[in-house]
């Protein structure tokens, strides 16, 4: 007698049909999850690149604002030195503290500032006609972001092609003196 064995699918394959169907569905969902994770990573990368670009522009804007502030500090210090000593300083070190005509030690500048664009303490000098330093400027040849809307004091910077065109120069005005030749300081505009 021949025995016929009838096997069902679960005995043949070791699992039920529903288990196989669930595994197939799970594998399809895993594919979609992987694609979703890749898209999310792509969106994060693009957003990070845009944020980095904006950060770089903002840091350059801050460096420009700092350059204008420091340039004004140098310009004011040179002006105060000129008014007090009736000559331009021969070096920036003289602005840190020198004896004036009366012998008093006067400090015109707190410290020698770094150029915020180049990061160095090197500055270009605008030479005065009668010797000395009349102004300073950055050595940077980079193009500035700000090209308009300057204050009245920096109107000459509008349309400049590079930072080295921003020259912070003290231009002396007529300084009235009394009968003894003592200068009266004039207010800055």
């Amino acid at each position: 007698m021949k025995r016929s064995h009838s096997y069902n699918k679960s005995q043949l394959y070791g699992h039920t049909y529903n288990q196989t169907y669930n595994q197939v569905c799970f594998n399809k969902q895993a594919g979609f999850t992987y694609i979703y994770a890749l898209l999310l990573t792509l969106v994060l990368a693009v957003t990070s690149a845009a944020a980095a670009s904006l950060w770089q522009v903002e840091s350059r804007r801050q460096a420009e604002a700092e350059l204008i502030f420091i340039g004004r500090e140098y310009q004011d210090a040179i002006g105060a030195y000129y008014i007090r000593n009736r000559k331009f300083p021969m070096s920036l070190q003289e602005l840190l503290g020198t004896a004036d005509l009366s012998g008093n030690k006067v400090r015109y500048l707190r410290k020698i500032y770094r150029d915020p664009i180049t990061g160095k303490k090197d500055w270009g000098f605008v030479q005065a006609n009668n010797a000395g330093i009349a102004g300073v400027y950055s050595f940077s040849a980079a193009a500035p972001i700000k090209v308009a809307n300057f204050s009245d004091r920096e109107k000459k910077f509008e349309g400049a092609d590079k930072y080295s065109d921003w020259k912070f120069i003290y231009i002396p005005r007529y300084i009235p003196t009394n009968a003894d030749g003592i200068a009266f300081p004039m207010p800055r505009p």
Side-chain angles (χ1 to χ4, degrees):
M1 158 187 267
K2 197 173 186 188
R3 213 166 178 209
S4 80
H5 292 285
S6 73
Y7 298 102
N8 62 21
K9 288 183 182 180
S10 65
Q11 290 174 331
L12 288 175
Y13 301 114
H15 51 76
T16 63
Y17 176 73
N18 285 339
Q19 286 175 332
T20 304
Y21 178 76
N22 289 339
Q23 287 172 347
V24 169
C25 288
F26 176 74
N27 288 339
K28 284 183 182 179
Q29 288 174 349
F32 284 119
T33 304
Y34 181 69
I35 290 172
Y36 176 74
L38 284 176
L39 288 175
L40 183 63
T41 304
L42 177 67
V43 168
L44 287 173
V46 169
T47 305
S48 297
S53 176
L54 286 174
W55 176 82
Q56 183 181 23
V57 169
E58 185 58 31
S59 67
R60 280 198 49 209
R61 285 185 195 273
Q62 285 179 334
E64 282 182 358
E66 193 174 349
L67 177 63
I68 290 172
F69 172 78
I70 291 171
R72 284 180 182 172
E73 289 286 309
Y74 277 118
Q75 189 176 23
D76 292 343
I78 292 169
Y81 183 95
Y82 183 85
I83 289 171
R84 191 164 186 112
N85 297 298
R86 297 189 190 130
K87 66 177 185 170
F88 287 104
M90 299 306 285
S91 71
L92 295 180
Q93 292 297 326
E94 289 184 32
L95 298 175
L96 295 177
T98 58
D100 64 358
L101 295 174
S102 61
N104 298 327
K105 187 165 183 165
V106 179
R107 189 177 188 100
Y108 303 97
L109 195 63
R110 191 170 61 93
K111 66 178 185 174
I112 301 295
Y113 293 99
R114 289 187 181 276
D115 178 348
I117 305 298
T118 63
K120 299 177 183 174
K121 286 191 176 182
D122 295 333
W123 290 91
F125 299 133
V126 177
Q127 296 297 320
N129 290 341
N130 61 350
I133 299 170
V136 296
Y137 61 91
S138 173
F139 280 126
S140 176
I145 295 174
K146 184 174 184 173
V147 293
N149 298 325
F150 287 96
S151 69
D152 291 337
R153 197 168 170 186
E154 286 88 26
K155 280 287 185 197
K156 60 190 172 284
F157 298 165
E158 289 190 2
D161 295 329
K162 51 192 174 188
Y163 290 115
S164 60
D165 293 338
W166 291 9
K167 296 188 183 343
F168 299 92
I169 305 169
Y170 174 75
I171 299 171
R173 297 179 289 162
Y174 169 71
I175 301 174
T177 58
N178 64 12
D180 297 327
I182 299 173
F184 295 108
M186 297 182 68
R188 302 259 326 142

